[in-house]
Amino acid sequence: MSQKANSDPVVLATAGYDHTIRFWQAHTGICYRTVQHPDSQVNALEITPDKQMIAAAGYQHIRMYDLNSDNPNPVVNYDGIQKNVTSVGFHEEGKWMYTGGEDNTVRIWDLRTRSLQCQRIFQANAPVNCVCLHPNQGEIFVGDQSGRIHIWDLKKDSSESLTPQKDASIQSISIDPMGTMMAAINNKGVCYIWTLSGGRGTDPVKIHLKKTFEAHSKYGIKCLFSPDSTNFLALVHTKPSPQIDGGTNICFPLLFNSMMLLATTSADQTCKIWRTADHTLMTELKENTQRWVWDCAFSGDSQYIITASSDNMARLWSVESGDVKKEYSGHQKAVVCLAFRDEFVQ
């Protein structure tokens, strides 16, 4: 009997080239359910906002599996797509799903109807590597292999684009939960950070380049902002006050909550954690056997991060110390995607 996902606020799933999706108890490392995905490798995973289903993007299809039953078969099948589907995500209220793929398109699928046909299509000029929905739910950011980042305004059905670096494929885009920053990483390991403004009502998002830096010396794969700023403790010394303490110093602990983090992964066998305040390296997550690190996901409190890599493993790390806290072993080939949710859904 599998553990039901709705009895546990934590859902962790991994998938890749061995045609299986594995579900894990995050705290024990035990795999409690394995779903066969025979049609192809799995390129991307995403959990629906209500935590009822998980979407698996593969070659020419998306399959939706029930998280809260033992049903081994997909409950919804989206087909008719050319080439690999490389990215999948959801509107925050679960009204629609978006996908991107190597057929040069981004597609929107209405989840409230019984129609399995996509409702809207954005045509890029090159294979799409990544798709990111702005927190305002009205603009989609698309990264393609030509190096362009497209901004698709869903309300106006218009788009703009920028090219941070010619001849460098955009591999991943991330926007922080408050919609104030955007990051992108390319296949040369260069990371870009922009500040975002606007994006309310009919006002489109405006982007302003803030920082460009070499995150990795080899192929960049993924970038991801932490969902929560990281708490850190500081002791603040007061000046001596004879009236209060007889002239001795007093230390008051203050808790700061202002450090957003950015994770980047690469073919250099590492995941790196960066401080966005000053773009300095906080932690390097490295294991001798890890090989390419394809995907990552932060815990809700940003204290931990899970990575997926080519050595058939997923790992849970401490963000602060860089120590491996748990290994998830069982896949027979490279693990290239994961989905992780550790918060309660009301």
Side-chain angles (χ1 to χ4, degrees):
M1 176 65 67
S2 89
Q3 174 196 4
K4 297 294 188 289
N6 60 5
S7 67
D8 190 331
V10 179
V11 180
L12 171 60
T14 57
Y17 290 150
D18 67 354
H19 293 219
T20 68
I21 304 169
R22 290 180 174 267
F23 296 88
W24 309 85
Q25 292 178 341
H27 61 291
T28 65
I30 295 172
C31 177
Y32 64 85
R33 180 185 178 193
T34 301
V35 172
Q36 300 299 317
H37 189 268
D39 296 333
S40 77
Q41 80 282 355
V42 181
N43 301 317
L45 286 174
E46 190 61 66
I47 298 163
T48 57
D50 61 7
K51 291 171 68 173
Q52 297 301 305
M53 291 190 288
I54 188 168
Y59 180 68
Q60 299 183 327
H61 66 261
I62 306 103
R63 302 280 183 256
M64 304 277 283
Y65 296 91
D66 190 345
L67 286 176
N68 301 315
S69 77
D70 293 319
N71 183 0
N73 301 311
V75 292
V76 186
N77 295 300
Y78 295 93
D79 293 297
I81 307 164
Q82 294 181 355
K83 302 184 179 180
N84 275 306
V85 181
T86 56
S87 186
V88 60
F90 294 95
H91 177 269
E92 66 178 0
E93 296 177 0
K95 295 178 180 179
W96 41 267
M97 174 177 70
Y98 58 88
T99 61
E102 292 178 353
D103 63 350
N104 301 5
T105 69
V106 176
R107 298 168 184 261
I108 291 180
W109 313 77
D110 191 339
L111 301 180
R112 297 167 297 179
T113 70
R114 299 195 175 205
S115 170
L116 299 181
Q117 303 298 316
C118 74
Q119 275 63 46
R120 301 176 70 178
I121 297 179
F122 173 80
Q123 191 74 43
N125 299 318
V128 171
N129 290 330
C130 55
V131 185
C132 181
L133 177 62
H134 189 283
N136 66 15
Q137 308 298 297
E139 286 162 293
I140 288 179
F141 290 70
V142 182
D144 71 26
Q145 289 185 17
S146 75
R148 284 192 181 93
I149 296 176
H150 307 271
I151 306 171
W152 181 18
D153 188 321
L154 297 176
K155 294 178 182 177
K156 298 178 180 178
D157 199 22
S158 61
S159 66
E160 298 179 359
S161 68
L162 66 150
T163 306
Q165 182 180 349
K166 291 182 179 180
D167 303 319
S169 172
I170 299 295
Q171 298 301 115
S172 179
I173 297 173
S174 180
I175 299 174
D176 80 284
M178 299 302 293
T180 61
M181 286 187 293
M182 178 177 77
I185 194 167
N186 67 23
N187 63 339
K188 297 184 179 180
V190 177
C191 188
Y192 302 86
I193 296 180
W194 294 265
T195 57
L196 303 181
S197 61
R200 293 184 175 86
T202 59
D203 186 21
V205 170
K206 300 177 180 64
I207 69 173
H208 316 274
L209 185 62
K210 181 181 180 183
K211 181 72 175 179
T212 302
F213 65 101
E214 185 182 271
H216 300 270
S217 60
K218 294 185 178 180
Y219 203 97
I221 301 175
K222 175 87 173 186
C223 65
L224 182 68
F225 283 109
S226 59
D228 184 32
S229 298
T230 299
N231 296 320
F232 59 98
L233 194 65
L235 294 177
V236 178
H237 293 265
T238 64
K239 293 182 179 180
S241 172
Q243 289 81 17
I244 299 176
D245 58 4
T248 59
N249 285 321
I250 298 178
C251 291
F252 291 98
L254 293 180
L255 191 64
F256 291 85
N257 186 25
S258 59
M259 190 167 64
M260 182 70 67
L261 302 175
L262 176 71
T264 60
T265 75
S266 168
D268 69 3
Q269 306 184 20
T270 71
C271 173
K272 294 182 179 180
I273 311 294
W274 306 88
R275 303 177 184 92
T276 60
D278 56 8
H279 310 106
T280 57
L281 180 63
M282 176 181 171
T283 320
E284 182 178 78
L285 311 179
K286 189 170 185 177
E287 274 284 309
N288 291 334
T289 63
Q290 193 162 238
R291 299 165 63 192
W292 287 40
V293 185
W294 291 92
D295 202 359
C296 63
F298 282 98
S299 61
D301 61 7
S302 302
Q303 301 297 310
Y304 300 93
I305 190 168
I306 298 177
T307 59
S309 57
S310 287
D311 65 346
N312 311 348
M313 299 278 282
R315 292 177 175 87
L316 174 71
W317 310 74
S318 165
V319 166
E320 184 176 3
S321 70
D323 296 332
V324 176
K325 297 298 182 181
K326 196 65 61 179
E327 292 187 334
Y328 307 97
S329 175
H331 284 283
Q332 301 304 307
K333 294 184 179 179
V335 184
V336 300
C337 56
L338 61 86
F340 181 53
R341 293 276 297 276
D342 67 341
E343 76 281 8
F344 286 95
V345 174
Q346 299 298 326

